[in-house]
Amino acid sequence: MQQASGHTLKAFDEDIERLRALISQMGGLAEHAIQEAMRCLVDRDLDGALRVVEDDQKLDALEIETERRAVQLIALRAPMAGDLRDVVAALKISGVVERIGDYAKNIAKRVPQLENVGKIEPLSLLPEMARIAMQMVHDVLDAFVERDAEAAVRVCERDNAVDDFYDSIFRTLLTHMMENPHTIGQAAHLLFVAKNLERVGDHATNIAEMVYYAATGTHMADGLGRTVR
Amino acid sequence: MQQASGHTLKAFDEDIERLRALISQMGGLAEHAIQEAMRCLVDRDLDGALRVVEDDQKLDALEIETERRAVQLIALRAPMAGDLRDVVAALKISGVVERIGDYAKNIAKRVPQLENVGKIEPLSLLPEMARIAMQMVHDVLDAFVERDAEAAVRVCERDNAVDDFYDSIFRTLLTHMMENPHTIGQAAHLLFVAKNLERVGDHATNIAEMVYYAATGTHMADGLGRTVR
């Protein structure tokens, strides 16, 4: 905080806390959406999938609310340096979390096409891949709330596991397609489900870079998360 | 502009013009990247594809530069209302344009896997799909520079054409896979190329919504672009 006044300081802190709480709320909804979309996929729950699609509106509304509050905060409190970086990070992170919700919605929309899918090995791998990607989202938003740059770096490191899952599922699905040409349509939808989960991991990594910058004022070295350890 | 001083007004106008110029420059690079990625795909130009991947760093650097300038502008000029919305829009749009560059990079990375691809019908449809998506990006960034909300709405309306292309290519590729199981791997890569182009259209639509909000202060009705006309 650059302001000298204790009153202004308190007001800014309250505002940024509310902003962080909104982002946490969005993160909780996005995690739940991914989890539910995967459950509906495995259980062939068409009604549940429809709810996931409908519930995405809540995330859209919260993103608009976050932007409104962030812009108001900048206009009213004129934050500087680290505080301003925090507000800008909140603004950008809410956009990324909203897109993570879009991936959940996209997975849920594929459930009807996969209602009669037979035994395909990736159906048992995808939920585990989703679990890792979701945990990345959860942990990176915790890192944002705690302004913990180190925790953000650790989240990036885990993206390799998601990428490995993706490569493995991609190969398995192609083999399955060649051996069972009549299931190609369903397998193609599962390819996109895997791709969506891989993108969730990428987006968690993007958020980690934003958290790192907000907390430190420097940009995380390109690919740091992939080379450390 | 809320500031009474002519001097401050001029300074803000110069700053926001520079920000718009940066976004235009990013847009030009992103368009060129998509165009080049598609040319390399059709011509099996591996060296060219490598250059597209390498050149994506320029977009990443420009995004960081845009954010730096936008944050500096907010801190120094304390813009209000419409001016602040404009700066926030620039901040968000640069992030989306950077992602459009990522899609071009992703397409370019698939070129080596498609070097020996035989005659697949979508190979002639994809460049046309790319052309429409690229034109949407071009026009929506023009709309941003001109603060033209109506032009932004018209860009949204064209996303249907991109979606129709995607649906058609998706079906054609599945049929091709069933009839030529030995080309399933290559066809799967083309599925993702089509999906990437479809996402470019979606991102142009997202930018259109940001342009609309920046120019009018109200949010474009959900799905407006899909229902108007």
Side-chain angles (χ1 to χ4, degrees):
Chain A
M1 284 295 299
Q2 313 295 307
Q3 284 90 346
S5 143
H7 177 72
T8 311
L9 185 119
K10 191 161 174 300
F12 175 84
D13 286 349
E14 280 175 9
D15 285 350
I16 191 85
E17 278 312 310
R18 255 198 299 261
L19 214 49
R20 288 184 197 283
L22 266 177
I23 302 269
S24 284
Q25 193 187 347
M26 287 184 74
L29 287 177
E31 274 178 67
H32 182 256
I34 300 255
Q35 195 167 24
E36 262 299 281
M38 294 307 296
R39 186 195 63 71
C40 293
L41 189 75
V42 172
D43 295 349
R44 279 73 154 167
D45 179 350
L46 270 63
D47 291 339
L50 208 61
R51 272 196 303 278
V52 172
V53 173
E54 282 166 2
D55 282 354
D56 188 55
Q57 291 175 12
K58 292 183 196 162
L59 268 178
D60 295 344
L62 281 175
E63 189 202 357
I64 291 174
E65 173 71 6
T66 306
E67 180 178 333
R68 196 185 62 75
R69 281 179 187 262
V71 168
Q72 197 177 46
L73 200 163
I74 293 173
L76 288 182
R77 313 282 178 215
M80 304 288 278
D83 290 342
L84 184 53
R85 282 202 311 272
D86 250 12
V87 180
V88 171
L91 201 62
K92 293 172 75 174
I93 290 171
S94 74
V96 181
V97 176
E98 189 271 331
R99 277 199 302 286
I100 291 174
D102 282 345
Y103 288 114
K105 182 169 77 170
N106 189 279
I107 292 172
K109 278 185 176 172
R110 295 180 192 278
V111 171
Q113 266 95 24
L114 289 159
E115 194 185 1
N116 302 311
V117 71
K119 201 175 145 41
I120 299 191
E121 193 189 331
L123 262 187
S124 54
L125 290 176
L126 285 168
E128 176 60 13
M129 182 183 178
R131 206 191 53 74
I132 301 175
M134 261 186 339
Q135 194 62 46
M136 286 176 70
V137 174
H138 182 93
D139 292 351
V140 80
L141 293 179
D142 277 359
F144 173 64
V145 171
E146 306 287 338
R147 303 194 94 220
D148 186 340
E150 291 304 309
V153 171
R154 284 196 300 274
V155 168
C156 289
E157 291 166 15
R158 278 145 60 192
D159 197 34
N160 283 332
V162 176
D163 289 346
D164 290 346
F165 254 103
Y166 173 72
D167 290 340
S168 166
I169 290 172
F170 182 83
R171 280 194 304 269
T172 310
L173 278 171
L174 288 202
T175 307
H176 185 91
M177 284 170 150
M178 287 181 215
E179 291 168 359
N180 308 276
H182 63 287
T183 66
I184 279 176
Q186 295 173 331
H189 283 295
L190 289 178
L191 268 185
F192 283 119
V193 171
K195 190 70 194 172
N196 283 336
L197 294 176
E198 191 251 349
R199 295 293 296 153
V200 171
D202 285 348
H203 279 61
T205 303
N206 290 348
I207 295 177
E209 289 164 356
M210 295 170 189
V211 170
Y212 188 93
Y213 178 69
T216 67
T218 58
H219 288 280
M220 199 187 281
D222 195 33
L224 178 65
R226 290 162 192 272
T227 53
V228 169
R229 273 218 300 225
Chain B
M1 283 294 303
Q2 314 295 306
Q3 285 89 346
S5 144
H7 177 75
T8 310
L9 185 119
K10 191 161 174 301
F12 175 84
D13 286 348
E14 280 174 9
D15 287 350
I16 191 86
E17 278 312 310
R18 253 199 299 262
L19 214 49
R20 288 183 199 283
L22 267 176
I23 303 267
S24 284
Q25 193 186 347
M26 288 184 73
L29 287 176
E31 272 179 68
H32 181 257
I34 301 253
Q35 195 167 23
E36 262 299 282
M38 293 309 295
R39 186 194 63 72
C40 294
L41 190 76
V42 172
D43 294 349
R44 279 72 157 170
D45 179 350
L46 270 63
D47 291 339
L50 208 61
R51 271 196 304 277
V52 172
V53 173
E54 282 167 3
D55 282 355
D56 188 56
Q57 291 175 11
K58 292 182 196 163
L59 268 178
D60 296 344
L62 281 175
E63 189 202 359
I64 290 175
E65 173 71 5
T66 308
E67 179 177 333
R68 195 185 62 76
R69 280 178 188 262
V71 167
Q72 197 178 44
L73 200 164
I74 293 172
L76 288 182
R77 313 281 178 215
M80 305 288 279
D83 290 341
L84 184 53
R85 283 203 312 272
D86 250 11
V87 181
V88 171
L91 200 63
K92 292 171 77 175
I93 289 171
S94 75
V96 181
V97 176
E98 189 271 329
R99 276 199 302 287
I100 291 174
D102 282 346
Y103 287 114
K105 182 168 78 171
N106 189 278
I107 292 172
K109 278 185 176 172
R110 294 180 193 277
V111 171
Q113 267 95 27
L114 290 159
E115 195 186 0
N116 302 311
V117 72
K119 202 175 145 41
I120 298 190
E121 192 190 331
L123 262 187
S124 54
L125 291 176
L126 284 167
E128 176 60 13
M129 182 183 178
R131 207 190 54 75
I132 302 175
M134 260 186 338
Q135 194 62 45
M136 287 176 69
V137 173
H138 182 92
D139 292 351
V140 81
L141 293 179
D142 276 359
F144 173 63
V145 170
E146 307 288 336
R147 303 194 94 221
D148 186 340
E150 291 304 312
V153 171
R154 285 196 300 274
V155 168
C156 289
E157 290 166 17
R158 279 144 59 190
D159 197 34
N160 282 331
V162 177
D163 289 347
D164 289 346
F165 255 104
Y166 174 72
D167 290 340
S168 166
I169 291 172
F170 182 83
R171 280 194 306 268
T172 310
L173 278 170
L174 288 202
T175 308
H176 185 92
M177 284 169 151
M178 286 180 216
E179 292 168 357
N180 309 276
H182 62 286
T183 65
I184 278 176
Q186 296 174 330
H189 283 296
L190 288 179
L191 268 185
F192 283 119
V193 171
K195 190 71 195 172
N196 284 336
L197 294 176
E198 191 251 349
R199 295 293 294 153
V200 170
D202 284 349
H203 279 60
T205 304
N206 290 348
I207 295 176
E209 288 164 356
M210 294 170 190
V211 170
Y212 189 93
Y213 178 69
T216 66
T218 58
H219 288 279
M220 201 187 279
D222 195 31
L224 177 64
R226 289 160 194 274
T227 52
V228 168
R229 273 218 301 228

